[in-house]
Amino acid sequence: MKASGAEDGGRPAGSPAPPPPSLEWKFSQVFGERMAGEEVHEVDIISAIEFDKSGDHLATGDRGGRVVLFERTDVTNHGLRKDLEKQDYPISRHPEFRYKTEFQSHEPEFDYLKSLEIEEKINKIKWCQPANHALFLLSTNDKTIKYWKVKERKVKKISEMNVDASIAEQNGNIASSSVNCPGGYLPNGGCSERPYNHLNNELSFPPGRLPSLRLPMVVTSQDTNPIARCRRIYAHAHDYHINSISNNSDGETFISADDLRINLWNLEISNQSFNIVDVKPANMEDLTEVITSAEFHPTHCNMLAYSSSKGSIRLIDLRQSALCDNHSKMFEERDTPGSRSFFTEIIASISDIKFAKDERHILSRDYMTLKLWDINMESGPVATFQVHEYLRPKLCDLYENDSIFDKFDCCQSGDGLRVATGSYSNLFRVFGCMTGSNEATTLEASKNPMRQQVQTPSRPARSLSTLTRVVRRGSESPAVDANGNTYDFTTKLLHLAWHPTENLIACAAMNSLYMYYA
């Protein structure tokens, strides 16, 4: 800290730091790229995406119940990255990933008691703490959560065979060297062109001894292969569809949330959970809101937040009571008089929440906006970012085709300076959340991400409490965006994740995984 009155580069001490410049995003990688006109199978569409805390691994889940893991390759030994930098070791400018392994996490099931089909689609994936050079993660579909362990296993191979290698090579393969009989075989298995006392010349005859016989030996090679094994299954605890799972900072527990309840689990105990939030009314006709998302605080193991379909976020403290029906704080934005319509409650429903990196803010995504909340201020969000405001006149069309019920993810950069979320036509938006920042970038999930960038006019800096992102209105045509481009509601970018330490975003466009760096 500098003394009062000191200046830093011409800026008086005590004045707010200038916002960082806007990032220039570039294409990095794509996995499972879809060619023009190629049909996408429903089971291949990506439905969940998550980086681990180190950023060295990335997991995706799809509607077919598969989990695919990717690992970082730009530095072979991530623990020695700083040492390599000091030695001017050539390393990549941005993280690069490669396919590691995949496994079938969930299978389609049928609940015979309720006559209900249970899809295999992966709703959420969460990484757990690694141990003993093994990776651990949780995956869930609508009803069942599974705890997976992925570890590198050394490949075992057969090292010795009884046939001499040179003879085997002459005969083409091992089997043919001892079974070829040009003249055919006798009923007892003998060869018609060889006398009964003829011995196979492929066996060695040590002087005065019987032919030697070498048994095959299985040895462990230096090659490794990742093997996934299901450690535990947490089932039969939710009557409604699971929409969220979240790890606790204590490394021992996690929560799972459905429409009406939140359960607390211990990773080591799969047959018992504790119900900590229950919003189900005695009469279901009195039900006015449901739980849409839930997440543990990143460092305080006793705090968690959950959002509702009415656009509110509740913060609860597990130390207050065993059943946390009463919240510690509730964050909600009041409606302006005369602004309510038939769609008000529908578009206010929060689809995703994330605790910010500074642990003081909460990021939430509803249908139209991205909002940043201060934990110490319940009256309203400190920043609101308009994602696709030009769709507001088209809410009737979005309601007719059910697009208004789409649930978009949100994420924040590792340094806490920017937030991101998805939209339609495979677009996603990146906003600067520092005081005075005008950064509002639109990118397309393709090899040319800047093709559909929205240029926002410069305007004077505003305080964080009134910071709002406004996208310019385009044509009022029901399928035209702010740039006059045709808008496609069938290609939606619902899932994306920001690398925990680098400016790298991974996003899912149908069955393709795109990565961009800045």
Side-chain angles (χ1 to χ4, degrees), residues 247-266:
N247 309 80
N248 198 345
S249 59
D250 62 9
E252 297 179 356
T253 57
F254 71 94
I255 56 171
S256 58
D258 62 23
D259 294 340
L260 299 180
R261 294 186 177 93
I262 299 177
N263 293 333
L264 178 67
W265 300 84
N266 188 299

Side-chain angles (χ1 to χ4, degrees), residues 269-343:
I269 303 173
S270 60
N271 59 358
Q272 184 182 36
S273 65
F274 298 95
N275 179 228
I276 56 176
V277 175
D278 189 349
V279 299
K280 183 178 180 180
N283 185 355
M284 286 296 285
E285 294 180 358
D286 298 330
L287 182 67
T288 59
E289 63 179 336
V290 296
I291 298 169
T292 57
S293 181
E295 179 160 295
F296 261 120
H297 190 278
T299 57
H300 298 312
C301 61
N302 57 287
M303 292 177 60
L304 63 95
Y306 69 92
S307 59
S308 78
S309 57
K310 277 193 170 182
S312 62
I313 301 174
R314 292 172 172 84
L315 191 68
I316 62 176
D317 191 337
L318 298 177
R319 297 172 298 184
Q320 290 184 345
S321 63
L323 187 61
C324 303
D325 288 337
N326 297 320
H327 52 268
S328 302
K329 294 182 178 181
M330 186 171 78
F331 309 93
E332 190 173 23
E333 188 173 26
R334 305 298 177 187
D335 294 329
T336 55
S339 64
R340 291 188 63 83
S341 68
F342 172 77
F343 303 108

Side-chain angles (χ1 to χ4, degrees), residues 183-467:
Y185 294 94
L186 298 176
N188 63 357
C191 183
S192 60
E193 294 188 357
R194 293 182 180 181
Y196 291 110
N197 60 353
H198 177 81
L199 293 176
N200 193 329
N201 59 4
E202 295 172 10
L203 296 178
S204 59
F205 286 84
R209 299 182 185 177
L210 293 175
S212 62
L213 180 64
R214 297 190 306 272
L215 295 177
M217 293 182 61
V218 178
V219 296
T220 303
S221 69
Q222 296 301 316
D223 298 332
T224 59
N225 188 30
I227 303 296
R229 185 165 64 91
C230 184
R231 294 287 303 277
R232 287 175 186 84
I233 299 177
Y234 313 90
H236 312 300
H238 289 277
D239 292 330
Y240 304 93
H241 291 176
I242 298 172
N243 55 50
S244 302
I245 53 175
S246 179
N247 309 80
N248 198 345
S249 59
D250 62 9
E252 297 179 356
T253 57
F254 71 94
I255 56 171
S256 58
D258 62 23
D259 294 340
L260 299 180
R261 294 186 177 93
I262 299 177
N263 293 333
L264 178 67
W265 300 84
N266 188 299
L267 284 170
E268 302 298 325
I269 303 173
S270 60
N271 59 358
Q272 184 182 36
S273 65
F274 298 95
N275 179 228
I276 56 176
V277 175
D278 189 349
V279 299
K280 183 178 180 180
N283 185 355
M284 286 296 285
E285 294 180 358
D286 298 330
L287 182 67
T288 59
E289 63 179 336
V290 296
I291 298 169
T292 57
S293 181
E295 179 160 295
F296 261 120
H297 190 278
T299 57
H300 298 312
C301 61
N302 57 287
M303 292 177 60
L304 63 95
Y306 69 92
S307 59
S308 78
S309 57
K310 277 193 170 182
S312 62
I313 301 174
R314 292 172 172 84
L315 191 68
I316 62 176
D317 191 337
L318 298 177
R319 297 172 298 184
Q320 290 184 345
S321 63
L323 187 61
C324 303
D325 288 337
N326 297 320
H327 52 268
S328 302
K329 294 182 178 181
M330 186 171 78
F331 309 93
E332 190 173 23
E333 188 173 26
R334 305 298 177 187
D335 294 329
T336 55
S339 64
R340 291 188 63 83
S341 68
F342 172 77
F343 303 108
T344 300
E345 284 197 8
I346 299 176
I347 64 176
S349 177
I350 296 175
S351 58
D352 189 26
I353 61 171
K354 295 283 194 309
F355 275 96
K357 306 300 180 181
D358 61 7
E359 303 176 7
R360 181 182 169 180
H361 294 86
I362 298 175
L363 184 66
S364 68
R365 170 68 202 265
D366 56 40
Y367 186 70
M368 298 295 292
T369 65
L370 195 61
K371 294 176 182 177
L372 193 64
W373 307 78
D374 191 328
I375 291 180
N376 298 322
M377 194 174 83
E378 302 177 54
S379 57
V382 294
T384 299
F385 311 96
Q386 306 292 344
V387 179
H388 37 220
E389 184 64 21
Y390 41 82
L391 292 182
R392 194 172 293 275
K394 310 169 184 63
L395 292 179
C396 287
D397 300 327
L398 294 165
Y399 181 78
E400 289 295 328
N401 61 23
D402 288 339
S403 294
I404 200 170
F405 301 106
D406 290 334
K407 299 183 183 301
F408 294 90
D409 290 348
C410 60
C411 60
Q412 187 179 35
S413 62
D415 55 17
L417 301 180
R418 296 171 181 86
V419 293
T421 191
S423 182
Y424 294 100
S425 296
N426 281 342
L427 302 179
F428 65 98
R429 308 211 62 197
V430 179
F431 301 97
C433 53
M434 285 287 290
T435 303
S437 174
N438 290 324
E439 183 175 0
T441 307
T442 300
L443 303 118
E444 182 185 19
S446 68
K447 289 187 175 181
N448 183 15
M450 306 301 291
R451 182 169 57 185
Q452 301 212 28
Q453 181 178 1
V454 176
Q455 299 294 337
T456 55
S458 60
R459 50 188 179 274
R462 286 177 263 182
S463 63
L464 188 61
S465 60
T466 59
L467 188 62

Side-chain angles (χ1 to χ4, degrees), residues 160-171:
E160 295 184 8
M161 297 295 289
N162 195 50
V163 180
D164 183 71
S166 60
I167 298 176
E169 187 176 352
Q170 293 171 7
N171 290 311

